[in-house]
Each structure stands twice: as structure tokens, then as C-alpha cells.
Amino acid sequence: MMVNRGAVDERVHPGENCLMSDSSSQLTRMLVPSCMRDRPVVLHVDDDVASLKVAERALQNAGFDVLHAENGIEAIDSFKQHEPDLIIMDAVMPVMDGFDAIEGVRSLPGGEYVPILMITGLDDLESINRAYDLGATDFLTKPVNFHILPNRVQYMLRSKRRDDALRFSQAKLDNAQRIAKLGNWEWNLTTHHMSGSRGFACILGLSDDQPITRWLDMICHIEEGDRHNVRLLADEAVEQRIAFNSEFSVRSGVDNSLRRIRLEAEPHYNEQGECTQMLGTIQDITERIDAQKQIHNLAYYDLITGLPNRAQLQEQLHYTLQLASRNKTKFALLFLDLDHFKQVNDTLGHDAGDDLLKQVAIRLTRVVRESDVVSVRLDEPGSQYTVARLGGDEFVVLLGQVARAEDAARVAERIAQTVSEPYILGEHSVEVTTTIGISVYPADGENSDELMKSADIAMYHAKESGRNGYQFYSRDIHEQALARFSMEGELKAAIENEDLTIVYQPKICFTTGQVTGVEALVRWQHPENGEISPADFIPLAEETGLILPLGRWVMRMAAKQMQDWIDEGLKPLNIAVNCSAVQFTRSNMIEDINEALSFSGLNPSYLEVEITEHLLLKDVDVGITTLRNLKALGVQVAIDDFGTGFSSLSYLKRLPVDKLKIDKSFVDELYTDSGDVAIVSAIITLSHNLNLTVVAEGVETAQQFEILQHLDCNEGQGYLFSAPLEGVEFIEWLTGFHDMKYKRVAQF
Ligand code: C2E
Ligand code: CA
Ligand code: CA
């Protein structure tokens, strides 16, 4: 098959019947896509060769290239090969007629839109209708006027180009709508007919067999919960001829998921100024809403527990405050801190820690939800509750409405109890407790900052007075907190300026009556408040970490004092120094002691470290290790306040210590309470069995002394012998001291 080009192309031989003859150069020309050709190509199909010739000349002269075919089969082949821009098709032909050929071409790729001009008999109306039905674009009746044929062809091609452009822009629009998940629609207000773009059907999740042709069809497609609303809105907008928008859900025809759709509509007026249509768009905003939700979640929820975070709590608090101040109601803030959470993290790892936090969160939410004291009424949003995590092991429970402060206390009690039940973390069963501070609006603060601070202070106070409990905020606590704050600054200055002093209290041997050693006790001479008891400032120093420099200083000074006395000729005595839990666990105590020893030049065997029993009980293994290190230095170790910590015998056996100091509380009751005699007696016997020296603290009376001596206690310390004394006073006291006074006399 070949192309016959007119005078324009040298390779074409006009008049030559070249049907079916092949020419590769002409084929190459034809492979150029139709949109890039400078001359349109017309395929003329007719079994009348004479007609072909006449038409060819006319078409070539008008600027077309021409292909020929003599029947339907050849026409289809030629179309496949050359994709002509237009086909002129005779109706009646041998082998395959024009009607079948039209059908064949239309079913080919690219054959859908090619313009086909059908040539039929003059008044063969039936043929004409049939040709249209099969997809002919236009028709001409025989005999054909070959002079006007090119005009007709030209016209058809122009209109084809317009159609192409329209289709192209429609496709572009469809594509853009698809990307934007957008569709547009029209609603005829007179006929109530509705039509929409491809995107419109797609977004509504419609398949081809559920076309929407009426506004009501679409309404029916909306999920039931939203349907009524959209309908009302639309009716109102149509009635008033105004724009409207709405959001609703539909179920996707693809995967049955719920999609959120936004609809926008505007009235449209015709040239006469009548409102005849509503025009609008719909857009699938499911992903956008999901993304917004996710962003919201990130900003307002805690990732580990899924609870509201600080930001969300702040908002909730703000809202609750407004409501409570308007309605003159009370609400409560519970500030929770897990006790010893850090230990779980440190020993079982962070994953276990996270797991614990999650479980705590679940319990908290459950307890608060189930607390019958919080009457949650959904119609009163202020009476609801919020459980939030502030970070770390801190949680806050906001009880939106409480009748009385006691209600909050009851919730706190239940929380404390529930949280303290064991947790399973992997293979471990772990127990934690929580300490809770409570503030109540409006008594404890009028804004969220004040309320949070009050609850925090109350929590802190509850921690101090023994963990696993709750505490209300009170002015007293607040004042104490303030006082503590200013005291902290002053204590810091006192340590720096060395405004502290050390006093010494002797210990007496119950057998020889001689002084065996002294305990160094720190004193603070406050410029305004006078002497402050260590019982008051040591806890503060421990909390703030000031105990570290303080303890180091006492250790150094006490060791130095003893060495000075020895240098001055005093018979060497033991010097005992108290060591706080914080020093024991947080500082490098061994280094500090070494430093004090080398600074003073004191023989380590004269230095004694007093450690309270409570401290050793906390973590026995760590305790034993540190005690061993102390022993390795050559210093002596005493257990202070013994008897208050409920040590078991087996435990005591494992501790590398030299001494027990029986707590003053047992000594106090010695001659009033026979039970205490038994305890003290047992402690003494036990200590002897373990080769430990027993020292009784707080010996104030001769009777106590006698009983203790009788029970075979080794040493004693207390006002009966001497109060703690300043260095100079102590030496004076020692000079006047007579061994014989307390020397044991034979009993029999
Ligand atoms: P502690 O180690 O049990 O010290 C004994 C306390 O009992 C001292 O109180 C002492 O003055 C007092 N005391 C002694 N004999 C009697 C008596 O017969 N009757 C009565 N009622 N009390 C007596 P102080 O000096 O007020 O010390 C209180 C606590 O402060 C000490 O208890 C100790 O735990 C701590 N502490 C004192 N100095 C230091 C120090 O330098 N470092 C550390 N970490 N803690 C210290
Ligand atoms: Ca002590
Ligand atoms: Ca003590």
C-alpha cells in the first residue's frame, strides 16, 4: 500500500494505481505520527477505481495525501498501518462492505475518533441511519461532487481537531481532579437531573452500574448519620439561591472503607438571570483529615502511653477553670510521681520502663473512670476527667468537678492502691508505688500555673513524709517550701564561708569506764536564727545535694581535729563521722575519705564511719560492696540507729561492719517498757555472737546506764556522760573526767 502525494512530492506518480504496492520510503513517511504531519492523510475506500482517481486529484490539489483501498479488509489493514487522519468510505463494496469496515475501524486502537465520511446511495435513508449507528461521522450521497469533497473533508478535520482538543483538556481536567481527589457536578434545579465528572463518581465510590442521574441518588449515597443534614442544607440553599458547603461520609465501593467528603456548591444563573442550576465540587478529604489528626496527636498526646500530654492538659485545665469559675464549682488536680521508677529503668532497661508507664497509664485511666465519686455527666463537660502524662514518671489527674476536697482524696487513695499492685514486665514482677499531691480550685490557686505548682509542692511534701501516699496542698506546706528555699541559699553560703562548726560527743566503755572515742556532729550557727539543729538542715542538704560538700568538709575537719589532738599529746581516740545516704550512693565516698586521711595524716584505724541501718537495707548488694571498700581502707564502720530498720539476722551476718549503735528510742524506754529490755537484750546478744561492738545511744539516766551495763552493752553515748561539746570544751571535759565513775564493778 502506498501514499499518493500530489505535485508536492516528487516520489508520487499521479495516475498510477499503486494500491497494495509497497514502498518503504513512503511507509517511513507514514510512520510519522499524525499529529506531526504537515499534510493530512486521507484514506479513500472504493471499489470504483475511476472514482478513486478523480477524488485523488481533487484532494491532492487541496493539500492532502491520499491512500487507496478497494474494499473493507484493505481499508482496515491500511488503517492499522498508516493511521490516516480521515476515511472516505463507500458503502457497497465486494469482500467487505463499508458498514463492516466502519465497525472494524472503530474497534481498533486509535480508530475510535477518526472521522469517517460515508458515501451512500442517494435516498437510501436506511443505509444512512445504519452508517450513523455504526459510527460514521458524516455522509455524502452519490454521485459525489468531487469539487466540494475537499471542502467537506477540511471541515470534518477541523471539527475533529476541536474535538481532540476538547477531549485532551477533558482528560487533563480528569487527571487533575483525580490527583486532587476532586470532582465536579451540576444539578439542574428544574429537572432535578444531576451529572458529574469522572472524579465525581470515583470519589463517591460508584461503580458504572450505579450512575447518579438525580440529586436524590447522591443524597441516598451519603452515610445515614450525615444524610439528613446535607439534605436540609441543600434545600435551604436552593430555596434562598445561595452557596453552601458541607462535609459527610460515604462508603467506598472499592474497599468499603469510610471516606470523608467535602462538598461545595454555588447557584448558577442563566442569561435571563434565572437560577437554573447548582454547580459544585466534591473532594475526598479523608487523607487530609487523617494527617491533621496525626499532627494533632503528635502535638497533644504522649507517644508512649497515648495519654494527653502537657499541652493537652493545659488546654483542658484552661477550659475547666473557665467553667468552674463561671459555675462557682470546685475541681481538683492530682499530681502523681512514681516512687523509684528510675530503679526499674536502670535495672530492667528502658523498654521495661516504657512498658511500666503504659501499664500505669491504663490503671490510672481505669481507676479514675470507675471512681464513683466522680460523677461523670456527659452533658456537663466540666465534670469530666483527664489523665495526662507530663513526662518521665509524672502523671496528672484532673478531676473536672468535685463536691468536696475529700472526693479527691478518695480517688487518690484508690489510685495509690491500684498503682501499687504488682506489674508483670517480661519475666519480672515489679512493684512500684506512687506519691500524690493534690490541689483544689479555687482554694489552692486561681489559675492553672498556681494549681499545678500547689499540687507539685504537695506531692513533694508527701514524698518527704514517706512515699506511697497523698497529701493536700496547704499554706503551711507552701510556707515551708518557701522557707526551705531561702534556707537552701543560706546553707550554701554557710558551707562556702565555713560558718559550720563541729561538736564532739564522747563514747564511754562500760567495762573500763574510759572514753573510747567521740562522734563528730555538725552545727550551724545561723547569723539571725541562732543555732540550727542538723536534724533540720541535714534533710535539706540531702535533697539539694549540698550534703556532698558538707559531708566532705566535716570528714576533713573532724579527722584533722583528732590528729591535732594526738599531736598535742592526747591518747588517740576514735573519731566517728556520720555519713548520709546521698554520700553513700552518689559520691565517691572512698575518695573523699582517702582525701581526708591524707589531708589530716590520721591513721585510718582511728576513723569510724556511721551509716544508718535504713540506708544499708535499701540495696544490700551495693551496700556490702561499698562497706567492703571502706573496710579495705582500714577505717571502722558502725551501723547507726540500729533497731529501727528491722534488719534480719541473716542479713546482718553478711555485713562487714564493726559496730552497732542501738537507737535512742529503745534506750529511752528501757525502764518503762519491759518489751524494749527484751529487744535491747536480744540485739546485744546477737552482736556479741557476730563479734560486733554494741554502743547505746542517748543514755540520759543512771538507771539506763545500769540496765545497759547489766545487759552487757559495750559502750554508751549520751547526756549522762556529756552533751556534744566544742573542741576546747571537750578537752577541758576530758581533763576532769574520771574513769572510775563508770567503771564496771564486780556484780558478785
Ligand atoms: P545521730 O547520728 O543519731 O546523732 C546523735 C544525735 O543525738 C545528736 O543530735 C546528738 O546531739 C543527740 N544526742 C546525743 N546524746 C543524747 C541524749 O542523751 N539525749 C538526747 N535527747 N539526744 C542526744 P544532733 O547533733 O542534733 O544530730 C542529729 C542527727 O543529725 C544525727 O543523728 C545525724 O544523723 C545527723 N548529723 C549530725 N551531724 C552530721 C554530719 O556531720 N553529717 C551527717 N551526714 N549527718 C549528721
Ligand atoms: Ca550518728
Ligand atoms: Ca544515731
Side-chain angles (χ1 to χ4, degrees), residues 483-705:
R484 216 169 33 203
F485 185 69
S486 69
M487 200 191 207
E488 184 186 335
E490 289 166 353
L491 178 60
K492 199 168 171 191
I495 296 170
E496 276 161 16
N497 306 337
E498 303 199 355
D499 279 346
L500 304 172
T501 53
I502 300 175
V503 290
Y504 302 89
Q505 188 177 34
K507 277 178 272 187
I508 312 294
C509 172
F510 286 175
T511 315
T512 63
Q514 283 178 359
V515 176
T516 58
V518 289
E519 177 176 1
L521 294 157
V522 70
R523 293 286 174 270
W524 179 9
Q525 295 299 332
H526 192 278
E528 286 147 35
N529 305 348
E531 190 177 289
I532 303 178
S533 160
D536 292 333
F537 69 84
I538 293 292
L540 174 72
E542 286 178 334
E543 262 166 44
T544 54
L546 286 172
I547 192 73
L548 300 178
L550 185 149
R552 227 174 277 138
W553 181 83
V554 173
M555 183 76 70
R556 235 170 117 94
M557 288 305 149
K560 176 84 165 63
Q561 178 64 84
M562 185 50 69
Q563 186 56 44
D564 285 352
W565 282 333
I566 294 170
D567 291 345
E568 284 161 20
L570 185 81
K571 183 180 146 228
L573 295 173
N574 267 346
I575 172 100
V577 177
N578 291 284
C579 190
S580 127
V582 182
Q583 286 167 274
F584 195 74
T585 50
R586 277 227 309 251
S587 73
N588 201 340
M589 191 167 69
I590 306 293
E591 236 167 56
D592 289 351
I593 293 174
N594 249 331
E595 203 275 330
L597 288 171
S598 60
F599 167 78
S600 61
L602 185 71
N603 184 321
S605 63
Y606 296 135
L607 185 63
E608 193 173 300
V609 178
E610 291 191 9
I611 294 162
T612 63
E613 185 193 13
H614 291 276
L615 167 60
L616 289 174
L617 280 175
K618 264 190 196 158
D619 190 334
V620 178
D621 291 331
V622 174
I624 290 178
T625 314
T626 316
L627 289 179
R628 287 221 177 94
N629 292 339
L630 279 175
K631 296 294 300 172
L633 281 183
V635 301
Q636 305 208 44
V637 180
I639 301 184
D640 209 349
D641 304 339
F642 188 81
T644 54
F646 312 107
S647 307
S648 73
L649 177 62
S650 60
Y651 154 74
L652 202 57
K653 250 197 265 179
R654 295 170 57 201
L655 295 179
V657 294
D658 308 279
K659 259 182 207 171
L660 287 190
K661 293 184 85 177
I662 301 176
D663 192 68
K664 179 175 178 301
S665 57
F666 296 100
V667 177
D668 282 348
E669 304 291 315
L670 265 186
Y671 54 87
T672 53
D673 190 327
S674 55
D676 279 348
V677 176
I679 294 172
V680 173
S681 166
I683 295 175
I684 293 170
T685 313
L686 165 71
S687 307
H688 290 334
N689 285 339
L690 295 172
N691 270 334
L692 302 178
T693 307
V694 194
V695 184
E697 282 186 307
V699 184
E700 291 181 352
T701 66
Q703 276 147 304
Q704 289 167 339
F705 168 64

Side-chain angles (χ1 to χ4, degrees), residues 167-218:
R167 253 198 322 276
F168 183 64
S169 93
Q170 186 61 46
K172 260 198 335 201
L173 186 66
D174 280 350
N175 213 27
Q177 291 200 347
R178 185 182 54 75
I179 292 167
K181 293 191 189 317
L182 192 78
N184 62 296
W185 51 266
E186 294 158 28
W187 171 19
N188 185 315
L189 296 179
T190 324
T191 61
H192 287 288
H193 183 264
M194 188 173 194
S195 61
S197 65
R198 182 179 301 219
F200 173 76
C202 213
I203 287 165
L204 289 178
L206 300 167
S207 55
D208 290 341
D209 54 347
Q210 320 170 257
I212 282 189
T213 54
R214 301 175 65 78
W215 169 251
L216 276 183
D217 296 344
M218 196 197 73

